[in-house]
């Protein structure tokens, strides 16, 4: 079994890099692919994608071609929506879509790239795995819609617009739907596990700086728990 852990930033991968012995195998553009050594029963890779949809798409294409993983676990931080989550919580994305794509004039759904799916829904198998996880101490787990935009969610008016358009959204990031779109071409599942570093529109940039390490740590802990279940089942 080949598992890829992908995150946008060095800080989001730091807990993983501090836990494994690694060998760098690809560096191209913003993409850094490292193989975890000394894995007896499965293959594990870390991928730093760079921030934003274009970087994430380029990394996803490269890793799907070179690694050909069985699953991509997209992790790191995200901005949560007020009333849905708290800082430090972890959201499992069961549905992904874009919040900054609008081709509704051509009868596409809001968030839908023309000629592509309107959203990317996680297979029920993965939802059942999420539901089987024990509740952690110190933070809460959530599951639901995560939206993706090439905008950090700091402007309150933009946050309000996105939340009105996607009332079920739990969180927003800048990479996950792009990775899912590319992985969809290769029929590779993408599991999204995001720690909440800030609440969208409420001093989001300051909160991100203050809580990024906590969000990354909690996402790391949940990712490791998921991997242990996958390995046990396979």
């Amino acid at each position: 079994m080949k598992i890829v852990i992908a995150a946008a930033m060095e800080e989001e991968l730091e807990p993983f890099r501090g836990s494994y012995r690694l060998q760098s195998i690809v560096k191209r553009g913003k993409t850094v692919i490292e193989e975890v050594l000394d894995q007896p029963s499965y293959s594990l890779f870390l991928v730093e994608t760079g921030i934003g949809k274009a970087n994430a798409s380029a990394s996803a294409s490269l890793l799907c071609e070179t690694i050909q993983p069985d699953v991509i676990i997209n992790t790191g931080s995200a901005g949560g929506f007020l009333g849905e989550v708290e800082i430090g919580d972890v959201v499992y994305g069961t549905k992904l879509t874009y919040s900054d794509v609008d081709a509704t004039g051509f009868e596409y759904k809001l968030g839908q790239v023309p000629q592509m799916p309107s959203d990317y829904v996680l297979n029920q198998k993965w939802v059942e795995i999420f539901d089987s996880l024990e509740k952690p101490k110190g933070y809460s787990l959530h599951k639901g819609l995560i939206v993706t935009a090439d905008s950090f969610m700091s402007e309150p008016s933009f946050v309000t617009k996105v939340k009105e358009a996607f009332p079920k959204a739990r969180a927003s990031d800048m990479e996950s739907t792009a990775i899912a779109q590319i992985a969809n071409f290769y029929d590779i599942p993408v599991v999204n596990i995001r720690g909440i570093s800030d609440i969208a529109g409420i001093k989001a940039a300051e909160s991100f700086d203050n809580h990024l390490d906590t969000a990354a740590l909690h996402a790391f802990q949940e990712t490791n728990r998921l991997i242990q279940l996958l390995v046990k089942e396979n």
Side-chain angles (χ1 to χ4, degrees):
M1 186 178 194
K2 292 182 181 179
I3 302 171
V4 163
I5 299 170
M9 302 170 58
E10 179 180 353
E11 293 88 343
E12 293 169 329
L13 283 175
E14 183 58 35
F16 298 94
R17 286 176 169 150
S19 300
Y20 301 128
R21 196 163 68 92
L22 302 169
Q23 175 180 303
S24 180
I25 57 176
V26 175
K27 288 186 179 181
R28 190 175 304 169
K30 289 294 183 180
T31 304
V32 179
I33 301 178
E34 299 165 297
E35 183 174 8
V36 177
L37 302 177
D38 307 321
Q39 295 295 306
S41 60
Y42 64 100
S43 297
L44 184 61
F45 301 85
L46 303 185
V47 180
E48 185 177 333
T49 68
I51 299 169
K53 292 187 291 187
N55 285 326
S57 297
S59 292
S61 296
L62 184 59
L63 70 89
C64 286
E65 288 284 349
T66 58
I67 304 300
Q68 299 176 347
D70 295 293
V71 61
I72 300 169
I73 302 175
N74 181 210
T75 190
S77 62
F81 287 104
L82 184 65
E84 299 286 346
V85 296
E86 301 286 343
I87 290 173
D89 287 354
V90 173
V91 178
Y92 288 87
T94 55
K95 180 185 289 187
L96 307 173
T97 194
Y98 297 107
S99 62
D100 59 354
V101 171
D102 187 348
T104 54
F106 297 97
E107 299 185 356
Y108 290 100
K109 291 184 179 180
L110 187 64
Q112 183 178 11
V113 174
Q115 302 181 2
M116 294 302 299
S118 59
D119 47 45
Y120 299 88
V121 180
L122 201 62
N123 186 285
Q124 183 62 27
K125 161 195 168 184
W126 296 102
V127 178
E128 291 172 358
I129 291 175
F130 294 164
D131 290 341
S132 72
L133 293 171
E134 295 182 5
K135 294 182 179 180
K137 295 181 179 179
Y139 59 92
S140 298
L141 300 183
H142 308 267
K143 63 182 181 181
L145 173 64
I146 295 179
V147 296
T148 298
D150 267 329
S151 299
F152 187 78
M153 302 291 280
S154 56
E155 175 54 48
S157 62
F158 179 66
V159 173
T160 298
K161 181 179 178 181
V162 170
K163 189 57 176 172
E164 288 175 350
F166 302 95
K168 294 183 178 181
R170 298 275 191 166
S172 175
D173 64 30
M174 299 177 68
E175 297 85 22
S176 63
T177 307
I179 292 175
Q181 180 179 337
I182 299 303
N184 181 67
F185 299 154
Y186 297 87
D187 197 28
I188 295 172
V190 174
V191 177
N192 203 23
I193 302 174
R194 295 280 180 157
I196 300 302
S197 58
D198 55 274
I199 300 301
I202 304 177
K203 297 183 178 179
E206 178 181 342
S207 178
F208 174 82
D209 288 338
N210 290 336
H211 301 291
L212 174 58
D213 290 347
T214 298
L217 177 61
H218 291 174
F220 161 76
Q221 291 169 342
E222 293 307 311
T223 299
N224 273 345
R225 293 208 299 156
L226 177 64
I227 289 173
Q228 294 308 309
L229 279 179
L230 293 181
V231 173
K232 184 177 180 180
E233 290 185 359
N234 289 273

